[in-house]
Amino acid sequence: MDKYIILTPEARGPFRERLAALGAQVSEWLASLGDGQWQLHFAKVFLSDAQNQYQQLVESALYQEVLVGAAISVVEQAPLCGSKVALLLKAADGPAPFLFHSLRLTDGETKGLNSYTQTIMLFEKYLRILKDRGLRLDTHCVRTWLYVGDIDNNYNGVVKARNDIFQRYGLTIDTHFIASTGIGGLSHTRSACVAIDFLTFPDISESDKTYLKAPDFLNPTHEYGVAFERGTRLSSADGQQLFISGTASIDKHGNVIYVGDVMKQAARLLENIGALLKAGGATMKAVRYFVVYLRDLSDYQAIDGFMQTAFPTVPRVIVQAKVCRPEWLVEMECMAAIQ
């Protein structure tokens, strides 16, 4: 079975010392899993200040010696526990069945280009990768993460670009879209306002996927002009993985509810997640980790306490990241697994 953990460094000194401490923690965790067959499949690195931290990260022993061989995503979404860096890790006792592409644009590619054009460029990079491998966007891409700088102003361009790409490649309301999180976040490229991560399973067919719906709780995304699935269940010989998209406090008509109340919004979005999991044959007990996005860092203590009470044994990371509608104060995503 896959194992997940979220780590922050125990050290609170300079950034390089924190990275060294994390490297030791990751190595210790991998050693604790068993007989040496465990492999690190995935590492998501949350930074508080990518402009000043990214180069130190990629030059560190943590990155070059400990995380080496894993799929790595780096995003500026400040951990709200007081750390400059946090890791979400996945390990398993066998080779990874997926491909992961964390695509970023350079300053030379992005300068002067708006969010629509940058999003198109990133999707086209990914589509070239798929073509070279004989894979298809509609069949083999199971999950995406779209990180948007200044999301209050740039999100509309990202939405339009994704809609246009999906229409071009036959992803429609009559077929399906792709599970996704579209959230505030930055890459290390100063002029980039968009970065995208893509999760691909090369050996699946369309029949291996089920698109999760909970119409009594939340509406189809296309009703308000965006193109993503609320969640996707992927079935394999090892069981089922359920990828739940970024989910917020929304009702079955697409309205934001509990405006201004972060605690009630958190409770409602978890109801929505529970309904999606139920549609996939799972419960909250199957959740392997949560990523929690907060618009306002001052809500951290309340939300952290709420999650600790509700899910004391489930790994979580809480980061500062604006949600795509200003009225949403909190959003969460998760992954669940059942045998």
Side-chain angles (χ1 to χ4, degrees):
M1 177 181 287
D2 299 341
K3 301 286 186 181
Y4 292 86
I5 194 170
I6 290 167
L7 296 174
T8 56
E10 298 169 358
R12 285 294 187 266
F15 187 63
R16 285 189 174 88
E17 291 182 10
R18 301 187 190 211
L19 295 178
L22 264 183
Q25 289 172 250
V26 176
S27 296
E28 182 179 344
W29 176 63
L30 290 172
S32 74
L33 294 180
D35 56 8
Q37 298 300 313
W38 288 83
Q39 302 175 34
L40 192 61
H41 281 185
F42 173 73
K44 186 167 189 177
V45 186
F46 301 91
L47 297 178
S48 61
D49 180 3
Q51 290 297 308
N52 287 300
Q53 296 165 348
Y54 180 79
Q55 195 59 37
Q56 294 181 63
L57 170 68
V58 298
E59 292 172 354
S60 69
L62 167 67
Y63 194 96
Q64 297 192 14
E65 299 174 16
V66 180
L67 304 184
V68 63
I72 304 173
S73 171
V74 181
V75 62
E76 181 182 313
Q77 289 175 328
L80 291 179
C81 60
S83 177
K84 291 179 179 293
V85 56
L87 295 180
L88 165 60
L89 303 176
K90 175 190 176 184
D93 57 352
F98 62 84
L99 303 172
F100 185 86
H101 296 93
S102 187
L103 300 186
R104 307 293 187 259
L105 298 171
T106 67
D107 277 315
E109 290 174 310
T110 61
K111 199 158 188 177
L113 300 181
N114 60 22
S115 62
Y116 176 88
T117 305
Q118 291 187 28
T119 304
I120 292 288
M121 290 172 67
L122 287 162
F123 267 99
E124 287 180 342
K125 281 177 179 280
Y126 176 63
L127 288 161
R128 288 193 293 270
I129 293 169
L130 292 183
K131 183 178 180 181
D132 289 344
R133 293 178 174 269
L135 303 176
R136 293 171 54 98
L137 177 67
D138 57 349
T139 301
H140 300 105
C141 184
V142 172
R143 183 75 163 83
T144 62
W145 293 260
L146 289 78
Y147 308 109
V148 187
D150 189 11
I151 193 169
D152 291 340
N153 291 308
N154 287 324
Y155 187 64
N156 286 342
V158 173
V159 166
K160 185 176 187 308
R162 179 173 57 183
N163 288 353
D164 289 351
I165 287 285
F166 282 4
Q167 185 176 28
R168 189 189 310 170
Y169 285 87
L171 286 80
T172 70
I173 60 175
D174 297 318
T175 58
H176 67 85
F177 298 122
I178 295 168
S180 186
T181 298
I183 197 73
L186 295 170
S187 74
H188 60 283
T189 302
R190 185 169 301 182
S191 60
C193 58
V194 187
I196 309 180
D197 292 341
F198 298 88
L199 179 64
T200 312
F201 285 81
D203 298 324
I204 64 171
S205 61
E206 188 58 35
S207 61
D208 295 322
K209 295 181 290 182
T210 302
Y211 301 100
L212 306 179
K213 306 180 190 306
D216 290 336
F217 288 83
L218 64 179
N219 68 327
T221 63
H222 69 81
E223 291 185 358
Y224 51 94
V226 294
F228 71 93
E229 295 292 339
R230 298 289 188 189
T232 300
R233 185 186 71 190
L234 180 63
S235 300
S236 70
D238 297 326
Q240 285 139 23
Q241 299 177 77
L242 294 92
F243 300 94
I244 303 300
S245 299
T247 302
S249 179
I250 192 170
D251 67 14
K252 64 182 181 180
H253 304 295
N255 300 313
V256 181
I257 51 177
Y258 303 121
V259 173
D261 191 325
V262 70
M263 299 305 293
K264 287 185 177 180
Q265 286 195 15
R268 173 58 192 222
L269 76 83
L270 286 166
E271 286 185 46
N272 291 344
I273 288 175
L276 291 168
L277 290 173
K278 183 178 180 181
T283 69
M284 283 291 194
K285 293 180 180 179
V287 173
R288 310 300 296 281
Y289 68 83
F290 287 102
V291 179
V292 183
Y293 304 102
L294 285 182
R295 185 177 184 89
D296 186 343
L297 60 85
S298 67
D299 290 326
Y300 169 72
Q301 294 293 342
I303 291 296
D304 186 54
F306 173 78
M307 295 298 289
Q308 178 61 28
T309 299
F311 306 100
T313 63
V314 182
R316 68 182 180 276
V317 61
I318 305 177
V319 299
Q320 185 172 20
K322 291 184 177 181
V323 188
C324 61
R325 294 194 207 180
E327 297 86 357
W328 276 327
L329 305 177
V330 57
E331 179 170 308
M332 299 187 201
E333 66 176 65
C334 68
M335 181 269 176
I338 51 179
Q339 298 298 306

